[in-house]
Amino acid sequence: MKLNTFLLVSIFFTTILFSQNTKLSVESIPQELKENANSVIRDQLISVEIKSVSNMLTTTHKTITVLNERGLRNLDVGEQYDESWVVNKIQAIIYNAQGYEIKKLKRKDFFDISASGGSPEITDTRILRLNYTPTQYPFTIVYESEVETINTAFIPRWYPLDDYYESVEKTEYKIKYPVDLGFRYKLVELDKLKIDKEESDNELHFKLENLSAEKPEDLSAKKFGCILFGTNVFSLEGVEGKADSWKEFGRWMNEELLKNTNELPEITKQKIRALTAGITDPIEKARIVYDYVQNKTRYVSIQLGIGGWKPMLAKDVDRLGYGDCKGLSNYTRALLDVVGVTSYYTIIYGGYKENIEPDFVSMQGNHAVLAIPYNNKLVFLECTSQTQAFGFEGDFTDDRYALLIKPEGGEVVKTNGYFENLNSQMTKGKITMNEDGKTLFNVEIKYKGIQYEYANKIEKLVPEKITENFKERYSNITALQMDSYKLNNDKKSIEFTEQIKFRAENVLKFVGNEKILNINLLNVNQSIPQRYRVRKTDFEIQYGFVDEDDITFEIDKKHKIGFLPEKVKIETKYGIYESEIVAESNNVLRYKRRLFVKKGKYNSAEYDEYRKFREEIAKYDNSKIILN
């Protein structure tokens, strides 16, 4: 009898320890959701409850199966917290491929780290991140959290899908809200998804099921869409705000976040007035002030203050010599005020071209710059850089919507764009082939627009790295030896010039009794977008550009010019390619080439046509001369 009781108890505990949840087994995932997938969201529910203008509760339940090691990138499991964002609950349970529980993780089992991640950032925000190293794949995580905050300015967005190589069985988003706050929402880039929606007076419920994983495609114009949420009345660190309109929202930011932040020491005021004495043009004054800020300060990310949105005081930036984008933009604004130049603190998304939604008023943006009105235009200043040219935006903030904060209120504007002819690379060179087999190169290249931005990064390198950069650029030329280089960064005209001299041997290649010389040695464009059996997404040429090359070849007298390729001109809706090489004398050739690529968005059906254009460019850039 005792033995039987022992066996029953053992069986009972063994059943508990190895209990199986068949719904979590990998076999239960539909086959079509495993295709192209590294991970599968099995079941996800984000519930947001706005209890009042200053209290919001977000609970998350997420079940995700990780199919392989690459799927770890899609986990997105963890929470940020600080004094205003409190994590009430966080836990996870790990299951194996058959759905058996193998590990439980409580709060103490999560990594608790600074949000700075070791970068030069001053922040009081911390992150609770999952601490689990898998020993086998696939596995499944059931994750739960509850976060409470006094900030209703940042209602969590809903991304039905936010990763490539991830499929979705079911994902939901629910939100409850007081009607008197003026609740609003907007769907962004979600027109192709079949999202179910249920809506009542104070509650909204979205649901999406059975979405297959997608692979990224070259030049894809696809964006992972989301739903934005906002209220007309909100709270940020205990400060109530209004978002009935951008004008009202901007007025609130000016009064609550910027007011009384621009005071400066008298000695600094005297210094900046002396630097600009006798100058009447506001842009020239601004240029001097910008140069002063670049020489005096450096960038440090600071996520303190009102939700990380209130800039540090201008007098503190002046004293410490550092600040973040908010503090440095506000400091520059304060200095410009001293010399009578109007400027506007400006909110924007920096980096990948995410836009402030002009028809949806809410807390948006992740970066601050400065805008100066001049001759019915706006000159934008990136105040975090110690090297950037005055008025040059680059691809970090160009061609997107931004919010100007004026004393009378906010105004959404578009930043300046860098279009085709503005993004230029002009190459002029002389290539001399000596009888001893050595070939000398004397080249001058001028860059403007976005190409200026890419080129002027070379200036910041040490000499050894600059030489390495040139050798890597001209890797098609074997045994290259640098003789000299000279770099000139003309920040006023925003033009970067390289003057380089180098030599090489064996530029000519033998084919039988003849020698072959590649025409394009200095600007070969061999980039061809990937081929797809079935192209699914539309594509985008994000930046158009123009390259012009004018190269003179001096051939040594031992050789006689034989075959010359014919003149080429290819015109398409995506751009124009033309090249020509002519004999100016018995031993002098002149090569001219022009490549114009047009900015634009195109549908997937046009992809093969564009790819063919790039193939032809690569083919003609590989054209050769025959020397006898």
Side-chain angles (χ1 to χ4, degrees), residues 510-515:
F510 275 98
V511 177
N513 294 324
E514 297 174 327
K515 291 184 180 178

Side-chain angles (χ1 to χ4, degrees), residues 60 77-81 87 90 126-129 143 145 147:
T60 300
V77 172
E79 303 293 344
Q80 290 190 1
Y81 73 94
V87 179
I90 187 167
R126 299 189 66 79
I127 297 174
L128 288 168
R129 192 179 70 192
Y143 169 77
S145 69
V147 179

Side-chain angles (χ1 to χ4, degrees), residues 287 290-291 294 367 369 380-398 418 452-453 456-457 459-460 489-492 494:
R287 199 185 298 275
Y290 187 70
D291 184 63
Q294 286 186 314
H367 188 55
V369 294
F380 291 92
L381 302 183
E382 174 55 67
C383 299
T384 61
S385 172
Q386 293 174 288
T387 58
Q388 191 144 313
F390 175 87
F392 181 70
E393 297 165 66
D395 61 4
F396 194 68
T397 56
D398 77 308
Y418 295 94
Y452 162 86
E453 179 173 32
N456 79 355
K457 293 175 182 177
E459 185 184 32
K460 304 166 192 173
N489 187 359
D490 186 343
K491 291 186 177 182
K492 190 159 187 178
I494 312 183

Side-chain angles (χ1 to χ4, degrees), residues 468-514:
E468 283 179 24
N469 181 278
F470 286 133
K471 286 185 176 181
E472 186 176 339
R473 185 194 303 176
Y474 300 121
S475 59
N476 58 305
I477 302 173
T478 56
L480 183 152
Q481 291 181 307
M482 289 295 301
D483 289 333
S484 66
Y485 66 83
K486 184 179 179 182
L487 309 178
N488 181 41
N489 187 359
D490 186 343
K491 291 186 177 182
K492 190 159 187 178
S493 63
I494 312 183
E495 180 178 86
F496 190 84
T497 303
E498 296 171 344
Q499 291 177 320
I500 49 180
K501 293 181 180 181
F502 58 92
R503 64 187 62 227
E505 297 183 15
N506 304 319
V507 170
L508 295 178
K509 308 297 180 184
F510 275 98
V511 177
N513 294 324
E514 297 174 327

Side-chain angles (χ1 to χ4, degrees), residues 419-547:
F419 301 102
E420 290 86 2
N421 290 323
L422 298 176
N423 302 324
S424 64
Q425 175 181 311
M426 303 298 173
T427 303
K428 194 169 183 66
K430 183 177 180 181
I431 300 175
T432 305
M433 299 169 60
N434 293 334
E435 292 188 9
D436 61 3
K438 288 186 170 58
T439 302
L440 308 180
F441 295 77
N442 190 346
V443 186
E444 180 181 85
I445 310 173
K446 293 181 181 293
Y447 304 91
K448 289 186 177 182
I450 295 299
Q451 302 214 62
Y452 162 86
E453 179 173 32
Y454 299 153
N456 79 355
K457 293 175 182 177
I458 298 172
E459 185 184 32
K460 304 166 192 173
L461 302 176
V462 296
E464 293 78 9
K465 292 293 183 183
I466 292 175
T467 298
E468 283 179 24
N469 181 278
F470 286 133
K471 286 185 176 181
E472 186 176 339
R473 185 194 303 176
Y474 300 121
S475 59
N476 58 305
I477 302 173
T478 56
L480 183 152
Q481 291 181 307
M482 289 295 301
D483 289 333
S484 66
Y485 66 83
K486 184 179 179 182
L487 309 178
N488 181 41
N489 187 359
D490 186 343
K491 291 186 177 182
K492 190 159 187 178
S493 63
I494 312 183
E495 180 178 86
F496 190 84
T497 303
E498 296 171 344
Q499 291 177 320
I500 49 180
K501 293 181 180 181
F502 58 92
R503 64 187 62 227
E505 297 183 15
N506 304 319
V507 170
L508 295 178
K509 308 297 180 184
F510 275 98
V511 177
N513 294 324
E514 297 174 327
K515 291 184 180 178
I516 303 297
L517 174 65
N518 280 63
I519 299 175
N520 191 347
L521 290 169
L522 298 173
N523 192 12
V524 186
N525 195 317
Q526 296 291 305
S527 175
I528 303 172
Q530 186 175 335
R531 186 194 300 275
Y532 299 98
R533 187 170 60 84
V534 179
R535 173 78 187 198
K536 294 183 178 180
T537 59
D538 296 341
F539 69 99
E540 179 180 11
I541 302 171
Q542 195 170 39
Y543 288 102
F545 64 89
V546 59
D547 284 2

Side-chain angles (χ1 to χ4, degrees), residues 348-354 365-368 382 395-397 400:
I348 197 169
Y349 279 107
Y352 183 74
K353 282 189 179 175
E354 184 174 359
N366 63 2
H367 188 55
E382 174 55 67
D395 61 4
F396 194 68
T397 56
R400 68 199 73 192

